[in-house]
Amino acid sequence: MVGAIAGILIDWGVSKAADVLFDQAGNRIKTRLNKDDLQQAIACGVEAATNAEKPLQPTNLLFYHCQDIQVRKFKEAVFSDAVVQTELQRPFQNEGKPRLEFLIAGFRQVERESGIKLNETALKPWLETFINAYFDKTSAIQFQIAKADYCEQLVNWYDDVKFAGIAVEGQVIDEAKELQNIFVMPDAIAEVRGDRTDHFRAKKYSLRKYDSVPYSTKNYVIDYSYFSLEDDRQQALIQEQRQQAQQTDQQWSGPKVSASKLLSQTESKKLVLLGAPGSGKTTLMNYLAVMLATGQQEALGLEADSDWLPILIRIRELALHPELSILDYAKRFAEATMSCMPLPGGFFEAWVQEGRALILLDGLDEVAEEGHRQEIVRKIENFLGQYDQNRAIVTSRPAGYRRDFFRTAEYPHYQLQPFSDDQIKQFITNWYDTRTPDQAESERRKSNLQKALQDNDRIKVLARNPLLLTIIALIHRYQTELPRDRYELYDRAVRTLLTTWDSSREITTHKALQYLRLDNLRHLMERLAYWIHTQGGTGDNEGGTLIDRDELITQLSQYIKEEKKLERNEAKAEAERFLRHIRDRTGLLNEQGQDCYAFVHKTFQEYLTAQEIRDRQEESFDVVLEHIQTHLHDPHWREVLLLLIAQQKRSNPTKCLQSILNAPDPYGKWLHRNLFFAGACLAEDIPMTDETLAGNILDQLVALETSNSPLVSSQIRGQVFQTLCNLHETKFEQLTLQRLLQIPADKIGKVRLQRYRAALGDEEGAITALITLLKDENSDVQRSAVNALRQLGRASDQVLERLLPLLKDEDNNVRRSVADALGQLGRASDQVLEGLLSLLKDEDSNVQIGAANALGQLCRASDQVMERLLPLLKDEDNNVRGSAAYAIGQLGRASDQVLEELLPLLKDEDNNVQWKAAVAFGQLGRASDQVLEELLPLLKDKNSNVRGSAANALGWSGRTSDQILEELLPLLKDEDNIVRWSVAN
């Protein structure tokens, strides 16, 4: 056939015709059109028509009446004819097949001009066959041209990060950046817990509501006792939340899955992905679509040689067109919004019918009306059921999502996880790599921002949310460093969330609310936060306090009624609109299950509560002092008071500190709570007009550090250390260090003094002193110095040079400490490896364990390392065997010998060795039939760690069989939640 087509190309002058056709194509088509494809399409049509002639009688041949010279002349002219050219272009203009009557007219025109006589009987059937074959061939070309254009426009539309319309006050909206250059892949976890709200939400609680809330201008405290919760509804919610706070770690423990692997690690082709506001759902959907559009499906675990088409739809926009099917809407959006050239009929259908589409349906929660949301769910279910061979992801916030929307058995549910430390670091790296061309300046800014997050746990917790991390990074970029005062950072974040997030989505306060305006939102949120905070603590350091929806509406209605002078029904309607706006669009409040709400993060609740008190302070400073006296030792109010005091000016900070120090404390003799709280206030870098008072506080803390009193416990000294170290980069840092350096070393400890020194701004001096202490005659001092250097993480040549000789120290505790330090410092030089290998034969098993762990951490799997580790798998000490197995797993060298040596440990008499061996097999990712035979019985082991690690090892092995599934399935009901998670994973 190739030879036949080649002959046609020459005989019919198709090459010239293809050149003309190509030149007449539009620019966007020409960039994606190949002349060879055009030639092939015309030649295929000619060949099909010519072949169709063969069974006919010679009198029915098209050129039956023509001489050879006339045929050649006709063939050269016909496909260059203007009428014929116009018809041949129709498929590429999305106008369908070439029209028979027009082609006949074109052929007759060439017939007249050339003076030849075509066979009248054969012309129509010849052209009909040509048209069908040509159109079939051009349809495939047309679809690929359309796909290339569609993917290019999709990338233009989605392959940048507009930072959700965020603008830091005083700055323009940050310029967009290419998604692939800044994107950090989040993790997801299979949702394994049920609705936590059942037993308190089974019955409907009623509220006795009153029209007015008394406000005491004397005490500056709102009296909410008028609101009586029958059946103690609010107390039940708080008690439930406290219980949940205790169980959270267990419920969500276990390994995480990179969101990039969701498409390849679940048997179901469809899944639901839930995520809190700002968790990165939309950005992830954009990224997946762009990766497919740019041919990078391998990174998502999809077949590299498959022709995938991404279809990304914002559900809120789909909901505006109920008359359109999902594919019709996709076509309209592509052509009208993304500016694709007209798509051929059946374009999207071609991919979904063959199961080659990734369908991304983003933002179910953004369909505001619940009944409409249910209709959209049915529409999506019907669509995905009709085209069930395609991959699909539906995203939603937990708020507005019901568990009965999509069946879990058919749609596995996953939840996006907060960023880890490594993901935060990667985001910061990407952030400044794309913004700061000067490498030195880029590195300086990265280091500055990472240190700012590392030094402040409260801010770092916020940074685990991608949206809040973006806000933090924007603020840092424009100010070179984060505001030293936390309240300034929180203020900017709240203003950003209330006013500029979602601006790119054209969702405005004016459209959402009837009476309230932007300037009302902040004040209302402060009042609301204060009231919520007064309901009580929950033991949850991150989530805000749960509040009943009806009670929330009552409080909001009352404020709006007073503020806007509205009737009660008008105020209630506006309160409901306000709650929807704050929940759905700003992300400050979240729906936490049925009919309950809470702040997305406790930090915002605390900050806004402090602002409400500060607003009342304008009438009298007594309101601040009253709150200090009332809540000084209540952990639930600690952050509120610190944020409140940090904002005081002139003499007010001194008044606050005096009030704290003079507050009655029946446990002060033992716990020194007033002093530690005053020290925490200094760490906020509060402005002090009376430095004498600050010096007095520092003197008292230093006195506790050096005290010999039996009342000063190790826990108190630990609290002193943390309080003083928290003064780094404050105006009190040098004052503190000067006081400490004046203390004789024997009263504070040689190494402890250097720890203070490093924490309070003189890290280089501290390292130099610690290196000197490595030669101290006291082995306890040596060991402490080693541990201090390890914690500082400075693996300089000088540090390593001084550490290595200690691998031969006569004190086994020193040798173990050095091994641990070398593993964590991460410098795998030949000298380090040689020193650690020598310790594998140490006479002390504890030292051997440290060396094995360090070698695993360094990940240098040379033949020599493996040769030294393998014999330890048979050591008489079970901890040595377990550590060696775990290290071998980390090194990843899965040779036959390694597998053979590890195998007996799956039957070890010690459970700890068994589970570490199973973990090793999982890390190595190789499982022979013999290994599977040994792993399967471990699924029934009494030890939950063994069961869980065996399940993980089976998963990572990639092996599956009916027997494996039969053994795994019962463990989905295991009593241990970690085992259940491992099996599900």
Side-chain angles (χ1 to χ4, degrees), residues 507-717:
I507 300 171
T508 66
T509 307
H510 178 72
K511 294 179 182 178
L513 302 172
Q514 186 172 348
Y515 304 105
L516 295 169
R517 294 296 178 263
L518 281 175
D519 56 348
N520 301 127
L521 299 189
R522 175 63 175 260
H523 189 197
L524 181 52
M525 289 304 297
E526 290 173 0
R527 287 279 299 274
L528 198 58
Y530 182 89
W531 171 73
I532 291 175
H533 204 75
T534 59
Q535 302 307 300
T538 64
D540 185 349
N541 291 325
E542 296 188 13
T545 303
L546 279 176
I547 297 297
D548 176 76
R549 181 185 184 279
D550 289 343
E551 181 71 352
L552 199 56
I553 292 295
T554 299
Q555 299 297 328
L556 289 169
S557 300
Q558 181 59 37
Y559 169 79
I560 295 170
K561 180 175 178 290
E562 294 174 356
E563 180 75 12
K564 295 298 181 180
K565 306 296 189 291
L566 301 176
E567 296 297 325
R568 184 166 61 176
N569 62 330
E570 294 175 325
K572 182 179 180 182
E574 185 74 344
E576 290 175 342
R577 288 190 289 268
F578 171 85
L579 183 58
R580 283 196 300 270
H581 176 73
I582 293 296
R583 178 198 71 188
D584 295 341
R585 302 276 55 89
T586 73
L588 276 173
L589 279 178
N590 267 349
E591 190 174 9
Q592 305 281 340
Q594 183 181 357
D595 295 333
C596 286
Y597 288 79
F599 273 89
V600 64
H601 199 283
K602 191 176 181 181
T603 293
F604 293 122
Q605 177 181 308
E606 292 164 335
Y607 166 71
L608 290 169
T609 299
Q611 295 309 104
E612 171 66 11
I613 301 170
R614 186 167 176 265
D615 289 345
R616 299 183 207 170
Q617 177 186 336
E618 295 180 4
E619 298 184 33
S620 172
F621 183 66
D622 289 345
V623 68
V624 174
L625 298 179
E626 287 179 12
H627 278 85
I628 290 174
Q629 293 297 319
T630 304
H631 302 295
L632 180 58
H633 299 308
D634 183 349
H636 180 57
W637 283 84
R638 176 181 173 84
E639 285 296 314
V640 173
L641 297 182
L642 287 174
L643 291 168
L644 177 63
I645 295 169
Q647 298 179 68
Q648 300 303 313
K649 306 298 181 185
R650 295 182 292 278
S651 63
N652 286 349
T654 299
K655 294 177 184 177
C656 291
L657 287 178
Q658 288 173 337
S659 176
I660 291 167
L661 292 170
N662 296 331
D665 182 8
Y667 308 106
K669 183 178 180 180
W670 299 276
L671 301 181
H672 309 280
R673 294 187 296 177
N674 294 351
L675 178 61
F676 286 130
F677 198 94
C681 291
L682 295 183
E684 296 292 330
D685 213 9
I686 59 176
M688 292 289 294
T689 55
D690 182 4
E691 293 190 1
T692 303
L693 180 58
N696 182 37
I697 293 170
L698 294 177
D699 289 337
Q700 291 184 57
L701 287 167
V702 171
L704 278 180
E705 170 64 49
T706 59
S707 174
N708 292 323
S709 171
L711 296 180
V712 181
S713 65
S714 59
Q715 288 85 352
I716 292 297
R717 283 197 173 85

Side-chain angles (χ1 to χ4, degrees), residues 168-169 431-432 468-483 488-493 496:
V168 178
E169 187 180 18
W431 178 266
Y432 276 117
L468 300 181
L469 176 57
T470 303
I471 294 173
I472 290 169
L474 279 166
I475 294 170
H476 183 267
R477 182 189 178 205
Y478 286 123
Q479 297 188 352
T480 307
E481 58 184 23
L482 291 183
E488 289 187 7
L489 177 63
Y490 300 159
D491 176 66
R492 288 175 178 271
T496 298

Side-chain angles (χ1 to χ4, degrees), residues 8 280 285 300 317 344 439 529 570 653 739 797 820 930 939:
I8 292 169
M285 295 301 100
L300 309 180
E317 296 168 2
Q439 186 174 357
E570 294 175 325
R739 282 169 166 77
D797 292 339
D820 292 340
Q930 189 177 6
L939 296 175

